[in-house]
Amino acid sequence: MEYRDKVLKCIDCGTDFVFTAGEQLFFHDKKFTNEPKRCKNCKGKRVSVLGSASHGSPARFAARTLVREDRNPHELFAVR
């Protein structure tokens, strides 16, 4: 399959960015099914805000903390 550069729009800032043929090949090799949604600048900002996840867990879960406080007696932790 031949890949060609694609112009995509960032969902955060709305600017156009190029999804290169090389990046598409990488996504194909890694079996990623979705195209990127954010430009490199917005992706970097998002990662820095959420923090880098450790031990291979997704970054979107890194910002959550489990706390013991006022809770239902049948729940061990409340999720924030």
Side-chain angles (χ1 to χ4, degrees):
M1 180 179 211
E2 185 176 327
Y3 296 102
R4 299 180 191 269
D5 291 355
K6 288 184 182 180
V7 177
L8 304 176
K9 188 171 290 284
C10 178
I11 64 169
D12 288 343
C13 67
T15 59
D16 291 338
F17 66 97
V18 178
F19 184 34
T20 66
E23 291 170 332
Q24 292 173 51
L25 179 61
F26 175 80
F27 272 52
H28 178 266
D29 290 345
K30 294 292 185 178
K31 300 190 184 339
F32 296 156
T33 55
N34 298 322
E35 294 179 340
K37 297 179 182 178
R38 293 175 176 83
C39 65
K40 290 182 181 181
N41 287 337
C42 289
K43 183 177 179 183
K45 289 176 189 175
R46 181 173 167 84
V47 168
S48 69
V49 167
L50 294 178
S52 60
S54 60
H55 307 293
S57 62
R60 67 180 176 267
F61 296 118
R64 292 185 178 177
T65 56
L66 298 176
V67 294
R68 289 187 77 137
E69 54 183 42
D70 297 333
R71 58 181 165 74
N72 182 326
H74 299 287
E75 297 174 348
L76 293 176
F77 297 95
V79 178
R80 285 191 189 176

